[in-house]
Amino acid sequence: MPNLNAQPWHACDVEAVEKSLNTSCETGLTALDADTRLKNQGPNELKKKRETPAYIAFLQQLNDPLMYVLIGSAFVTFILKDYTEFGVILAVVLLNALIGFIQERKAVNAIAALGKLLSAECTVVRDGVAQKIPTKLLVRGDVVMLASGDRVPADLRLVKLRDLKIEEAMLTGESVPSEKNTGSLGSGAVLADRSNMAYSGTLITYGTGSGIVVETAAATELGKISTMVDTAKKHDTPLTQKLAGVSIFLTWTICFFAVISFVFGIVNGQPFSKVFIAAVALAVAAIPEGLPAAVTIVLAIGVTYMANRHAIIRKLPAVETLGSTTVICTDKTGTLTQNAMTVVRICTSDGDFAVTGKGYAPEGHVSLDGKTLDVLPKLTSHCVIASGLCNDARLVQTDGRWCIEGDPTEGSLLTLAAKLHLPAEGQEDQYTRLDTIPFESERQYMATLNNTPDGVHICVKGSIERLLTRCRYQYTADLQTEELDEDYWNEQAAGMANKGIRVLAVALKPAAHLQHLEGDEILDQLIFIGLIGMIDPPREEAISAVKLCREAGITVKMITGDHPLTAKAIAVQCGLADENEIRLMTGKELESVPDDYLPTVASKTHVFARVAPEQKLNLVNALQSLGEIVAMTGDGVNDAPALKKADIGISMGITGTEAAKDASDMVLADDNFASIAAAVEEGRGVFDNLRKFISWSLPTNGGLGLLILYSVFTGQSPAVSPAQILWINLITAVVLGTSLAFEPKERGLMLRPPKKPNEPLLPLDLMLRILMVSVMMLAGGLSLYDYFHRHQGLSIPQSQSIAATTVVGIEIGFLFCARSRFKSIFEIPFFSNKWIHVSVITMLLLQYAFVNLTVMQNIFSTASIPFGAWSYIIGVTLACMAIVEIDKVVWRSARHMAELKSQNDND
């Protein structure tokens, strides 16, 4: 047999396909031949990816340097029979692993969703007999019968059809069903233009047909996408990368100081067990045990905020990634546009009329030269009525929402008639249909014979090329006839087409003697009425959102499978670029771009039209190679590989396929680009709050680590025990720190440029502030421990409880300071975040229980604090707050000076 994979099937005629696959359009394969091919080719089904066993997925959560140190610490405490600390450390480790495991197991396999698009059964012709068989038994060479409502079971070369239309938006992005034919095409035709092919997983919306199976399973277009989804490697998010960097830095730092403390203690003659426990305590103190849980909580709160703005987050790190986005690659249909064909122009001898309105709702008006018309001129009314009568769609209202049943183009004509309160098919008794010539792709028109109040008329609508050839006359404004001005109408149609407007021509013919439409010759000598132009218009909110993104320094690009002129028109209307500046490239042109030049093309081009799935994936790769943080939107199966590869994949909740949703990080509940801009704003707010939380939490680990290090170098008992350290690290991070997640977004958030991918998680000012607060915790905790133990004679448990409470007090004071990086606490409305106050009260109650309840005293070796000690703790807290606020003043001045210098340099 020939090399089947090398065949450009759309470029072959039917006879060549039959010969190549050794089959017959009439009789199909024999049962014996089909069985033989099935054994050689394998079943027509997509292979499912093996799922990671649950226990392995759980263990993978422990694959982190900080977790290694914690597990090692737990092991050492167990060997030393310190079972309390062992239990607390182990509980922390398991809690963090469980949180990550639950989050990860929520993700669904995109390959399984692609498999659902294959029908269970299909009708084939074998041994000359039509029969139903399971879809998985299809082989190359089988002849498949297609009917309206069927899902195409494999890639087919169409051989026979009648009025066949296939919904291929999941593969091509086309907003209307594709009209099919059987003629051969050029070998370079892109997928969206292959009108003689039917692809696996697409849906028959109209007509019937048959086709020869040319590809099955993984070799189909759907299968290729499945393979791309499976092999596309997801980048770590900026947050994941930065947290990993912090984790590695802390691990090496902790290990270094733990070793130093151990060696120092041994050299100075301290007992091995004491030195070892101290080294473990240092590791436990310096590791931010509560950080993973608290980060998860902060991101989860961001998820809630985004859900309120129609953005449903499927993977938590995507919350922050949105705030780092530098490029948004958006689909056109339904995302930037309303996904509803809408009439915007009517052109007759009366004039060129503009039509307003949204979607299929019968609301809007008609204007001429900027003046709204209450009543249409008679000829234009006839044009609208004729298009409404020559129509098989239905306009219905469901749950308060207007929608259409049938072809979107015909639905837009019904909406137009309803806006103008004019009759359409089936709406008024005096307009009855007597006969129909249905639309066929070969004809490019539809005709109906209608009984009207003015007599029997033939109403015809279709492509301007076909109707002009059947017209000799045209109607004048006063409903008289005159010679057809073919050049004028072609010029008007071309003008609309150049603006991305789809054009339909309308014609009439009086037919008082007719009762039936028989033969195409009846449609000769038609009288031309006019043109109706329609488009899937941009959403108004999407236009505003694109503007907001551009102000925020985010580049918006359109990547669509739709027609180039339509894509360019929508891009201009949405404001992706000015009309004279916009750069457009088609998928065919992309094929000739060298790989090393693709990143340059990707960065400079605003619109990519008629692109194939692998090209979308390549464009995402190209932009990422430039260091861009890429958000990619999509709704079709063809978008799934690029959605998975992008830094943030965004699928459509209403029109999106399951495969697109499962490959994405975020789902738009309303399919609206404006929701992406809102989610970016929320993402930036979440990152700000996450940075506030991390810069607030790390001083605790630094301060506690310094306290342990001091005890090792001086040979004294630690001011805070390891178990108490774990309490402070975990409880304060969750109870106090997560309240920062509720901080209101700061002004001017969307006027900032996106964060640079290499920008550190913690800038210099915050790093120095972390060090400063760590030293203050060391000084405050140590001084009060030493004062009450040595000079007041309190026991070690009491003194340690005072030191631990002092650290918590400084954390509470610093919490109010950390609400803004530069602003004074007096500039921030005190009650703008009620959760700060709730968390402080909760923490004070918990800390009171920590030092006073017997069960807590037994677990953590604490003791009740004398009443007078509280005044010292409060005094230290207020002093630390004052120092942090002075530090802010210094950095505010430095930032102001830098801004002035930058302005002077620009001037």
Side-chain angles (χ1 to χ4, degrees):
M1 290 186 69
N3 181 6
L4 301 175
N5 289 322
Q7 297 291 334
W9 299 109
H10 58 277
C12 301
D13 58 31
V14 174
E15 291 76 13
V17 175
E18 286 181 297
K19 184 177 179 181
S20 179
L21 293 172
N22 193 21
T23 188
S24 165
C25 294
E26 303 300 328
T27 61
L29 299 173
T30 65
L32 179 62
D33 193 9
D35 287 341
T36 303
R37 295 189 187 196
L38 183 63
K39 292 176 183 177
N40 294 332
Q41 299 171 15
N44 177 39
E45 57 185 1
L46 301 180
K47 292 182 180 179
K48 294 183 179 179
K49 187 179 179 181
R50 288 186 63 186
E51 192 171 319
T52 304
Y55 72 93
I56 293 179
F58 180 81
L59 292 175
Q60 286 174 343
Q61 304 305 317
L62 304 176
N63 186 23
D64 179 88
L66 289 178
M67 289 297 104
Y68 299 158
V69 176
L70 269 183
I71 293 170
S73 300
F75 178 75
V76 170
T77 56
F78 181 81
I79 295 296
L80 297 174
K81 298 183 179 180
D82 193 341
Y83 299 122
T84 299
E85 289 191 19
F86 166 74
V88 174
I89 295 173
L90 188 63
V92 170
V93 170
L94 294 177
L95 177 63
N96 284 329
L98 186 62
I99 289 173
F101 172 75
I102 292 172
Q103 173 192 334
E104 188 172 291
R105 298 303 283 183
K106 289 180 180 178
V108 188
N109 196 326
I111 308 303
L114 286 168
K116 292 176 185 177
L117 291 173
L118 294 178
S119 303
E121 289 187 328
C122 59
T123 302
V124 300
V125 177
R126 287 184 179 174
D127 293 315
V129 178
Q131 54 189 283
K132 279 190 174 295
I133 66 168
T135 296
K136 66 180 182 181
L137 300 183
L138 277 181
V139 294
R140 290 189 183 112
D142 264 325
V143 175
V144 177
M145 311 297 291
L146 302 172
S148 181
D150 289 348
R151 199 169 281 281
V152 180
D155 284 2
L156 312 177
R157 171 61 166 89
L158 296 172
V159 295
K160 292 182 181 180
L161 54 84
R162 180 175 177 81
D163 308 333
L164 189 65
K165 294 184 181 181
I166 303 181
E167 173 61 68
E168 295 181 329
M170 56 175 267
L171 290 178
T172 65
E174 284 279 12
S175 55
V176 295
S178 301
E179 299 167 1
K180 295 299 181 178
N181 57 53
T182 59
S184 58
L185 302 169
S187 58
V190 297
L191 190 142
D193 293 332
R194 295 174 190 172
S195 55
N196 59 9
M197 297 290 295
Y199 289 105
S200 178
T202 57
L203 185 67
I204 310 297
T205 60
Y206 192 82
T208 59
S210 64
I212 298 174
V213 175
V214 293
E215 301 292 357
T216 62
T220 64
E221 292 298 324
L222 186 67
K224 293 173 185 175
I225 292 171
S226 173
T227 302
M228 283 190 283
V229 170
D230 195 18
T231 57
K233 293 183 179 180
K234 188 77 177 177
H235 276 194
D236 286 338
T237 68
L239 176 63
T240 305
Q241 293 172 3
K242 289 180 173 66
L243 287 177
V246 170
S247 178
I248 292 171
F249 172 76
L250 287 176
T251 299
W252 283 108
T253 304
I254 290 164
C255 290
F256 173 76
F257 282 108
V259 170
I260 291 294
S261 67
F262 178 78
V263 171
F264 184 88
I266 293 296
V267 169
N268 284 275
Q270 298 180 25
F272 177 84
S273 60
K274 181 181 179 180
V275 173
F276 211 98
I277 285 291
V280 171
L282 175 61
V284 172
I287 292 175
E289 292 90 354
L291 183 61
V295 166
T296 299
I297 293 170
V298 172
L299 293 177
I301 292 168
V303 166
T304 303
Y305 285 156
M306 289 184 177
N308 293 334
R309 303 187 74 171
H310 308 293
I312 301 169
I313 301 297
R314 297 183 67 251
K315 300 169 186 175
L316 282 184
V319 176
E320 184 275 333
T321 308
L322 276 164
S324 308
T325 300
T326 58
V327 177
I328 298 175
C329 297
T330 177
D331 193 16
K332 177 188 74 68
T333 305
T335 309
L336 291 173
T337 68
Q338 297 174 19
N339 196 23
M341 295 299 291
T342 304
V343 173
V344 293
R345 295 275 294 279
I346 309 172
C347 183
T348 67
S349 296
D350 289 326
D352 192 355
F353 301 85
V355 185
T356 64
K358 296 180 180 179
Y360 297 117
E363 301 166 358
H365 61 263
V366 177
S367 61
L368 180 63
D369 299 329
K371 296 180 180 179
T372 301
L373 303 179
D374 295 325
V375 180
L376 278 183
K378 281 190 175 182
L379 175 61
T380 305
S381 293
H382 284 354
C383 183
V384 175
I385 292 171
S387 69
L389 295 177
C390 187
N391 203 303
D392 284 331
R394 290 181 64 237
L395 184 65
V396 295
Q397 191 174 21
T398 305
D399 297 328
R401 181 171 173 265
W402 288 94
C403 55
I404 60 103
E405 294 177 357
D407 186 81
T409 299
E410 293 192 339
S412 69
L413 300 175
L414 292 186
T415 302
L416 173 65
K419 286 178 184 178
L420 302 172
H421 307 290
L422 295 173
E425 173 59 24
Q427 293 181 347
E428 293 197 15
D429 293 339
Q430 64 265 42
Y431 291 85
T432 57
R433 181 182 295 186
L434 303 176
D435 201 2
T436 305
I437 297 179
F439 179 90
E440 288 188 4
S441 53
E442 287 82 0
R443 292 198 190 100
Q444 292 292 309
Y445 64 78
M446 173 183 177
T448 59
L449 185 64
N450 296 89
N451 196 357
T452 75
D454 298 325
V456 177
H457 285 81
I458 299 174
C459 302
V460 188
K461 75 176 193 307
S463 71
I464 185 171
E465 296 83 5
R466 292 299 177 90
L467 259 63
L468 285 179
T469 61
R470 292 187 171 274
C471 294
R472 181 177 177 184
Y473 302 100
Q474 66 188 36
Y475 277 113
T476 63
D478 57 359
L479 295 181
Q480 301 299 310
T481 58
E482 63 181 7
E483 289 291 325
L484 179 70
D485 188 347
E486 192 170 334
D487 291 340
Y488 172 79
W489 296 114
N490 279 324
E491 183 180 337
Q492 295 300 310
M496 289 192 220
N498 287 335
K499 295 180 180 179
I501 298 175
R502 182 171 181 167
V503 182
L504 272 181
V506 183
L508 273 180
K509 181 179 180 181
H513 60 287
L514 285 182
Q515 291 298 315
H516 301 285
L517 294 175
E518 296 179 358
D520 286 353
E521 64 277 2
I522 292 177
L523 300 183
D524 291 336
Q525 306 296 311
L526 296 175
I527 305 171
F528 197 85
I529 305 180
L531 304 173
I532 297 179
M534 61 202 69
I535 196 170
D536 180 9
R539 298 174 183 258
E540 291 180 10
E541 60 270 33
I543 297 173
S544 302
V546 169
K547 181 181 179 183
L548 182 64
C549 287
R550 293 184 68 182
E551 289 174 349
I554 301 170
T555 303
V556 181
K557 298 179 182 292
M558 180 191 294
I559 303 180
T560 179
D562 217 337
H563 193 279
L565 288 177
T566 305
K568 181 178 180 181
I570 295 298
V572 171
Q573 292 177 52
C574 286
L576 268 64
D578 295 334
E579 188 170 6
N580 56 345
E581 297 177 354
I582 201 159
R583 296 184 179 183
L584 179 145
M585 181 170 281
T586 65
K588 194 170 182 62
E589 292 169 333
L590 266 178
E591 290 176 357
S592 60
V593 176
D595 290 344
D596 58 346
Y597 190 60
L598 186 59
T600 303
V601 170
S603 66
K604 292 183 177 180
T605 306
H606 303 98
V607 180
F608 297 92
R610 282 286 195 262
V611 290
E614 61 270 19
Q615 291 176 324
K616 292 185 179 185
L617 185 62
N618 292 339
L619 287 170
V620 170
N621 277 324
L623 290 168
Q624 288 175 331
S625 72
L626 297 174
E628 304 284 5
I629 304 299
V630 182
M632 172 79 190
T633 76
D635 56 2
V637 172
N638 60 330
D639 298 317
L643 289 174
K644 183 179 177 183
K645 183 67 177 66
D647 296 285
I648 172 78
I650 305 170
S651 62
M652 304 298 112
I654 299 174
T655 60
T657 60
E658 287 302 311
K661 292 175 186 176
D662 291 335
S664 67
D665 305 288
M666 184 177 94
V667 179
L668 293 185
D670 58 354
D671 289 14
N672 194 337
F673 184 86
S675 296
I676 301 176
V680 168
E681 184 179 16
E682 291 294 344
R684 289 188 174 192
V686 167
F687 178 79
D688 275 4
N689 291 343
L690 198 56
R691 176 181 271 175
K692 292 171 187 176
F693 165 76
I694 293 173
S695 63
W696 168 84
S697 67
L698 289 183
T700 304
N701 304 105
L704 293 172
L706 289 173
L707 281 171
I708 298 297
L709 203 60
Y710 179 84
S711 70
V712 172
F713 287 154
T714 59
Q716 300 177 4
S717 297
V720 184
S721 73
Q724 293 167 355
I725 286 169
L726 275 173
W727 165 267
I728 296 171
N729 274 350
L730 190 60
I731 300 302
T732 59
V734 175
V735 175
L736 288 177
T738 52
S739 65
L740 290 170
F742 296 96
E743 276 298 302
K745 293 185 291 292
E746 296 186 13
R747 290 182 180 178
L749 195 64
M750 289 298 280
L751 296 178
R752 305 179 195 167
K755 298 189 307 296
K756 295 178 181 178
N758 58 354
E759 180 182 332
L761 182 63
L762 297 171
L764 178 62
D765 61 295
L766 290 181
M767 291 289 288
L768 293 176
R769 191 170 297 162
I770 288 169
L771 180 61
M772 180 182 68
V773 177
S774 298
V775 172
M776 288 193 292
M777 285 186 178
L778 167 67
L782 191 62
S783 60
L784 292 190
Y785 172 83
D786 189 64
Y787 173 74
F788 283 101
H789 180 52
R790 291 178 179 277
H791 302 289
Q792 297 296 319
L794 298 186
S795 65
I796 287 179
Q798 282 183 301
S799 302
Q800 285 182 333
S801 298
I802 292 171
T805 305
T806 301
V807 172
V808 172
I810 294 173
E811 282 189 283
I812 290 173
F814 186 41
L815 183 69
F816 287 97
C817 299
R819 294 181 67 187
S820 177
R821 181 177 165 191
F822 296 109
K823 288 183 180 178
S824 162
I825 57 173
F826 302 108
E827 295 179 76
I828 306 169
F830 190 68
F831 292 104
S832 61
N833 182 358
K834 66 179 181 180
W835 294 107
I836 290 277
H837 311 289
V838 172
S839 68
V840 169
I841 293 171
T842 302
M843 190 64 229
L844 289 173
L845 292 173
L846 288 171
Q847 191 65 18
Y848 181 83
F850 175 71
V851 299
N852 287 292
L853 291 184
T854 303
V855 63
M856 302 294 274
Q857 291 173 348
N858 291 335
I859 295 174
F860 294 102
S861 301
T862 56
S864 299
I865 297 174
F867 182 77
W870 286 100
S871 60
Y872 287 88
I873 294 171
I874 293 171
V876 169
T877 298
L878 292 175
C880 291
M881 290 177 69
I883 293 171
V884 172
E885 289 302 310
I886 292 171
D887 179 63
K888 284 186 184 180
V889 172
V890 173
W891 283 102
R892 274 202 304 272
S893 300
R895 187 175 70 159
H896 182 63
M897 294 297 293
E899 288 174 351
L900 288 176
K901 184 178 183 302
S902 177
Q903 289 177 3
N904 292 333
D905 291 344
N906 292 334
D907 292 342

